[in-house]
Amino acid sequence: MGKMTDLPAHLAVPHRMAQLFSSRFAAVPRVFRAPGRVNLIGEHTDYNDGFVLPAAIDLYTWTAIGPRNDHKLQVFSENLNEAAEIDLAATAPQPRDAWSDYVHGVALMLGKAGIAVSGADIVIHSNVPTGAGLSSSAALEVSVASALLAASGTALPLTEVARLCQRAENEFVGARVGIMDQFASCFGSANHAILLDCRSLDYQLLPLPHGITMVICNTMVKHGHSGGEYNDRRAQCEEGVRLLKQYYPGIRALRDVTLAQLEAQRSEVRRQRIPELIYRRCHHVVSENERVLRTVGALRKGDLPAVGVCMAESHLSMKNDYEISCAELDIMVELAEKLPGLIGARMTGGGFGGCTINLVHDAAVQQFREQIRSAYQQATGIAAEIYVSTAGAGVTEVKANG
Ligand code: GLA
């Protein structure tokens, strides 16, 4: 490794991967990099046609790729030190319940979109923690999709890349995720959050106010893989739409329901026409959509206390109404709320473990980082990882030689 370890990850990793690739496959690769994401607010709203506010972070998945003369993908994961072979000509491809399913799923969806995917040698490396709610899956999908497209001598609009990666996860891996993560990994932009309308896919880049930093605190509790709980929440929202249609026939998704409309039907819970659990799930989604728009208004005005209130309400809504938090996430948020310099804190991502997002005044970041780590250790006995990230760019090709 020698001098290379002195380089920052975004330069050192592609350099090392190119060397590894050359020693494994005797060729010089092209290297693509896609980021993970953090979501500032708007959780479990994407598959309800609602609004989200993610930002790409400076943790990435890199894919080094070179062509082969057959119809195979020979894939090597540097993190896991594990190889997988994918036969692109297989007639009945099946998932293997392994990391390679993401690669395979993306190749299949590219094929379904009419792209003749060429055989390729591939090396993958990632520093996005898995199961932490920072979209390691989307970073892998988007990175691989971009590499496969380039190796096949073709291109697609980024929106299509995002959609296709989502389909890979929905149809091949079996998680009914929304579009947020793949979209953020494609469209990330330095120092901006992305306000995305998940129905139209219209988006706006929202500058993050100067003087605040994103501090991501990993509880180190891993959420399940293509977990049943996530798909359950989605089914409960669909049930909510079915029931609410009796009163509001025009609605297509929870996105179309206002808080006043929902609250007007609260008595239906008492009459047992709407199960209380379904009502609470709907209440989270409907109120969360409203909070995203309130947060955007507050960020535009520079009203940071109002941003903090939205984040606190969002966390409580996920804890009580949507029931996707866990003890460690709640502790991490409660501890943050006591620390100087905090603007707002909430869990981020799918839930059931993973990370909190904290907006912190620049001057307090160093102290915040140390204090939250030791307070969390004391409260839980767990050593948290803390990532201080800027909002960064989306998927891109990088130079293999640093
Ligand atoms: C996961 C999914 C996203 C989104 C979030 C929750 O990250 O991949 O589509 O639903 O959970 O907001």
Side-chain angles (χ1 to χ4, degrees):
M1 295 261 263
K3 268 178 70 195
M4 239 171 48
T5 44
D6 299 330
L7 294 171
H10 70 279
L11 297 176
V13 174
H15 186 76
R16 199 191 57 235
M17 285 177 82
Q19 288 179 338
L20 178 63
F21 191 97
S22 304
S23 63
R24 245 187 124 78
F25 301 117
V28 177
R30 290 174 72 181
V31 182
F32 294 80
R33 179 189 92 179
R37 65 96 192 92
V38 70
N39 190 19
L40 298 185
I41 196 159
E43 223 64 81
H44 288 259
T45 45
D46 59 354
Y47 54 80
N48 289 298
D49 278 4
F51 301 99
V52 291
L53 192 64
I57 54 178
D58 46 23
L59 295 170
Y60 303 96
T61 297
W62 288 265
T63 302
I65 194 162
R68 288 176 65 87
N69 290 327
D70 58 15
H71 290 289
K72 295 206 164 111
L73 300 179
Q74 291 289 357
V75 197
F76 180 72
S77 158
E78 200 193 353
N79 297 72
L80 300 172
N81 191 26
E82 205 177 285
E85 180 180 290
I86 294 165
D87 182 1
L88 294 171
T91 43
Q94 291 299 325
R96 301 169 194 167
D97 202 10
W99 60 272
S100 57
D101 290 346
Y102 293 94
V103 180
H104 198 170
V106 166
L108 287 172
M109 295 308 142
L110 284 168
K112 273 200 187 173
I115 285 155
V117 180
S118 313
D121 293 319
I122 294 175
V123 171
I124 294 168
H125 175 87
S126 184
N127 63 10
V128 187
T130 57
L134 299 178
S135 296
S136 60
S137 312
L140 174 57
E141 291 151 11
V142 171
S143 170
V144 164
S146 305
L148 285 176
L149 279 165
S152 309
T154 180
L156 277 178
L158 272 185
T159 309
E160 279 314 303
V161 173
R163 279 212 172 97
L164 189 146
C165 289
Q166 180 198 11
R167 278 204 296 277
E169 205 159 332
N170 291 168
E171 294 174 23
F172 195 66
V173 179
R176 298 184 64 207
V177 294
I179 191 75
M180 168 169 70
D181 305 349
Q182 293 79 4
F183 198 93
S185 189
C186 285
F187 286 91
S189 167
N191 301 318
H192 288 82
I194 307 165
L195 169 62
L196 173 65
D197 177 336
C198 298
R199 172 171 279 167
S200 63
L201 297 193
D202 287 342
Y203 72 99
Q204 288 173 35
L205 294 178
L206 196 75
L208 289 171
H210 291 296
I212 68 174
T213 296
M214 301 193 300
V215 182
I216 300 162
C217 299
N218 191 345
T219 62
M220 309 306 278
V221 177
K222 284 209 177 201
H223 70 60
H225 215 232
S226 39
E229 290 269 21
Y230 184 96
N231 290 350
D232 286 352
R233 292 301 181 281
R234 189 160 179 167
Q236 288 159 355
C237 290
E238 285 162 1
E239 176 65 359
V241 173
R242 194 184 69 77
L243 293 169
L244 289 167
K245 266 197 173 147
Q246 304 173 87
Y247 317 99
Y248 309 114
I251 64 168
R252 275 162 52 202
L254 288 179
R255 146 72 175 273
D256 301 311
V257 181
T258 64
L259 209 47
Q261 283 178 323
L262 181 66
E263 279 166 5
Q265 303 311 326
R266 199 189 278 274
S267 55
E268 295 299 82
V269 175
R270 276 196 303 281
R271 294 201 190 95
Q272 299 192 339
R273 294 206 186 110
I274 299 179
E276 193 262 348
L277 180 108
I278 300 292
Y279 184 89
R280 277 195 285 123
R281 302 298 191 246
C282 295
H283 193 265
H284 165 70
V285 173
V286 172
S287 63
E288 184 79 349
N289 270 328
E290 186 258 346
R291 279 188 292 271
V292 175
L293 300 179
R294 242 198 300 148
T295 302
V296 169
L299 279 172
R300 288 207 169 110
K301 280 194 292 190
D303 183 353
L304 298 180
V307 172
V309 168
C310 289
M311 291 176 80
E313 287 178 11
S314 170
H315 186 80
L316 287 178
S317 177
M318 290 187 284
K319 178 181 174 193
N320 300 325
D321 280 348
Y322 220 59
E323 294 177 286
I324 54 171
S325 188
C326 64
E328 292 83 356
L329 283 166
D330 294 341
I331 289 171
M332 195 71 99
V333 167
E334 282 158 25
L335 292 173
E337 283 169 346
K338 291 188 196 129
L339 293 180
L342 182 86
I343 294 157
R346 58 185 282 285
M347 59 145 272
T348 188
F352 309 104
C355 294
T356 64
I357 167 74
N358 302 265
L359 295 181
V360 180
H361 286 288
D362 284 354
V365 168
Q366 203 44 44
Q367 203 192 0
F368 180 91
R369 187 185 181 146
E370 282 156 22
Q371 289 184 337
I372 193 120
R373 224 183 156 278
S374 79
Y376 183 74
Q377 169 101 47
Q378 212 165 22
T380 63
I382 303 171
E385 283 179 9
I386 315 288
Y387 321 107
V388 174
S389 181
T390 53
V395 64
T396 179
E397 182 167 7
V398 292
K399 281 206 298 190
N401 294 323

